Amino acid sequence: MNLKEMDQNYVLQTYARNYVHFVKGENSILYDAEGRDYVDFGSGIAVCSVGHGNRRLADAICDQAGKLIHTSNLYLIEPQARLAKRLAELSGYDVKTFFANSGAEANEGAIKMARKYGEVEGEVKRYKIITLEHSFHGRTITALKATGQEAMHNYFGPFPDGFVYARDIEHIYDLIDDHTVAVMIELVQGEGGVQPMEVDEVKRLAKRLKSEDILLIVDEVQTGIFRTGEVLASNLYEITPDIITLAKGLGGGVPIGAILTTHKEILGLGEHGSTFGGNFLSTRAALEVLAILEEHKESGALDHALILFEERLKKIAEKYPDIFEKEVGVGFMRGLRVKGDKEAGDVVAAALIERVVVLKAGKNTVRFLPVLTITKEEMELGFERFERALSSL
Ligand SMILES: *Cc1c(COP(=O)(O)O)cnc(C)c1O
């Protein structure tokens, strides 16, 4: 039985898997079992923030694994305390953090925080949470219900009550009532199709929610940890959310989620927990990721690469008007909207044949989420191959 058969016979088939067999990587370059190189413009869906095969991250993980991987949250965990402090310092927010293991789980915790807030603050019990259409908040029952894509809700009800979907930011105001406790949004919708929110609209929303004592939860699972060029997208939008969730890029590939909140006493003893959350291995990895990215940002290299990447994508959008409508996105979260009669999936497939990895988002967007440490040479090679793929369409 070969590996593909093994996968198909024994792994539950929930993914439209490509049977490319990657075996190692170096920054933005992936190598398959035959030794062919691929340029990775997807970074494992915004996860491998410091690139593949990063020596510093690997050394930190190995060092930690040789000492302690896990002791449980019943005892002091040095890298967890240090990571919580770094997240507060780097973000510039006066927050405490709870550590989880994934994006969905971080959002679950954020929703629990909001529900508790609605129970203990104010005269009437508030429980309603407004989210946006085309949002994505994860796959657990509650995070899925928070996700404003009805098609994803098939089969899995009954769901927890209290989630309503706004068409856009302006529509949120119409949905607010006495029972509303929180609004949860992505500042740049990722899975929904690389859709940035308007800065002014978001600022106005943040102000209005504050004045009504409604919590603003920002799902930064994809936008967080320098993906937009700033530590958090909330920094870029110049807002101070009540709760921010993180996951994807934080551990550089090691599973970790985090919930940052300015409401430092919102959950008390025993009101939330996680066996694995914040263990030695994941928090040590995240500390190293933050150190690497902070240096990368400070040196100017990150901003330089962002500009180059954007320029290159804009040129491609202009050069192939039959395929693309426009270029969209922020920082290293970018996309090309394909024209009505074209399929984003076809572009992604053609790119893979030319050995450049790009992703699909929403219905009609080719998505680019490069590793944040991508070099100019890697970019050039990737775009050269991408253009070759386009001319084959
Ligand atoms: C990926 C993603 C999630 C879900 O994260 P998991 O780690 O897969 O649970 C939630 N929210 C956003 C914005 C995401 O991009």
Side-chain angles (χ1 to χ4, degrees):
M1 190 182 289
N2 65 29
L3 281 171
K4 179 176 175 180
E5 288 163 351
M6 212 182 282
D7 178 271
Q8 290 180 332
N9 285 322
Y10 292 105
V11 178
L12 203 64
Q13 297 291 293
T14 61
Y15 301 103
R17 219 194 277 291
N18 271 297
Y19 284 92
V20 189
H21 180 189
F22 295 126
V23 292
K24 65 170 187 173
E26 280 167 34
N27 208 34
S28 298
I29 308 296
L30 286 165
Y31 296 93
D32 71 10
E34 272 83 50
R36 286 180 296 238
D37 67 335
Y38 294 71
V39 180
D40 183 9
F41 281 164
S43 66
I45 320 183
V47 166
C48 305
S49 45
V50 296
H52 300 287
N54 186 295
R55 207 56 257 164
R56 274 178 68 179
L57 178 58
D59 286 347
I61 291 170
C62 287
D63 177 65
Q64 190 58 57
K67 290 175 180 158
L68 277 174
I69 292 176
H70 179 96
T71 56
S72 92
N73 279 302
L74 298 176
Y75 315 99
L76 179 68
I77 301 168
E78 178 174 341
Q80 182 182 120
R82 292 191 184 283
L83 179 59
K85 180 166 179 280
R86 283 311 284 140
L87 286 170
E89 287 166 352
L90 279 171
S91 69
Y93 297 130
D94 188 16
V95 287
K96 281 190 179 178
T97 295
F98 177 91
F99 290 102
N101 309 285
S102 68
E105 207 188 326
N107 287 335
E108 287 274 337
I111 291 164
K112 276 180 73 176
M113 286 178 185
R115 286 280 169 85
K116 166 129 188 239
Y117 192 81
E119 179 87 37
V120 299
E121 300 285 332
E123 259 108 76
V124 294
K125 178 178 160 69
R126 296 180 294 154
Y127 61 91
K128 253 176 71 174
I129 296 174
I130 303 170
T131 66
L132 288 176
E133 285 180 8
H134 307 294
S135 57
F136 183 76
H137 299 298
R139 301 286 194 157
T140 59
I141 290 280
T142 305
L144 194 60
K145 186 62 181 170
T147 294
Q149 303 189 48
E150 297 282 2
M152 293 178 76
H153 300 164
N154 289 338
Y155 310 119
F156 305 120
F159 288 98
D161 281 340
F163 290 92
V164 287
Y165 314 116
R167 282 188 304 277
D168 51 33
I169 296 219
E170 288 306 311
H171 188 215
I172 289 174
Y173 301 108
D174 299 337
L175 298 178
I176 291 176
D177 65 22
D178 291 347
H179 296 291
T180 305
V181 70
V183 169
M184 176 153 93
I185 57 170
E186 297 154 88
L187 295 175
V188 186
Q189 289 185 337
E191 305 307 308
V194 194
Q195 187 56 55
M197 300 296 139
E198 288 287 338
V199 175
D200 291 343
E201 284 185 19
V202 168
K203 281 186 174 164
R204 193 171 143 246
L205 175 70
K207 216 180 247 164
R208 169 79 182 271
L209 296 181
K210 192 128 293 180
S211 77
E212 297 197 22
D213 195 31
I214 294 169
L215 301 179
L216 175 59
I217 304 171
V218 177
D219 178 346
E220 294 228 33
V221 168
Q222 193 161 150
T223 56
I225 314 300
F226 296 97
R227 179 55 58 184
T228 64
E230 299 304 320
V231 178
L232 301 177
S234 297
N235 298 130
L236 188 70
Y237 278 71
E238 298 177 317
I239 55 166
T240 304
D242 296 277
I243 301 172
I244 294 168
T245 55
L246 299 171
K248 290 193 167 91
L250 179 57
V254 177
I256 185 169
I259 316 165
L260 281 55
T261 181
T262 55
H263 300 270
K264 297 180 179 177
E265 315 301 327
I266 185 72
L267 293 177
L269 264 187
E271 289 174 352
H272 199 40
S274 165
T275 299
F276 293 121
N279 81 10
F280 280 86
L281 190 73
S282 63
T283 52
R284 175 74 188 276
L287 270 174
E288 197 60 34
V289 166
L290 289 182
I292 295 166
L293 292 178
E294 195 187 359
E295 282 173 31
H296 197 58
K297 171 80 179 173
E298 298 268 292
S299 73
L302 177 64
D303 293 314
H304 185 62
L306 286 175
I307 292 165
L308 276 182
F309 202 86
E310 181 181 4
E311 278 174 3
R312 202 67 174 74
L313 265 190
K314 285 217 160 93
K315 271 196 198 131
I316 289 180
E318 283 164 19
K319 192 168 163 189
Y320 299 88
D322 295 345
I323 305 176
F324 301 116
E325 200 177 295
K326 61 177 174 182
E327 188 268 348
V328 289
V330 178
F332 268 149
M333 207 171 156
R334 308 211 83 96
L336 291 170
R337 288 276 151 74
V338 298
K339 282 262 163 80
D341 60 330
K342 296 284 190 291
E343 287 288 339
D346 292 343
V347 177
V348 173
L352 191 62
I353 291 170
E354 292 297 337
R355 291 186 282 122
V356 53
V357 176
V358 295
L359 306 164
K360 188 183 157 184
K363 279 196 183 68
N364 59 353
T365 306
V366 179
R367 179 166 51 154
F368 297 78
L369 298 166
V371 310
L372 304 180
T373 50
I374 190 169
T375 65
K376 187 163 179 265
E377 292 70 32
E378 290 165 349
M379 260 184 237
E380 282 311 318
L381 185 63
F383 282 121
E384 198 182 292
R385 290 180 181 184
F386 187 67
E387 287 205 48
R388 212 178 303 144
L390 295 178
S391 49
S392 78
L393 284 175

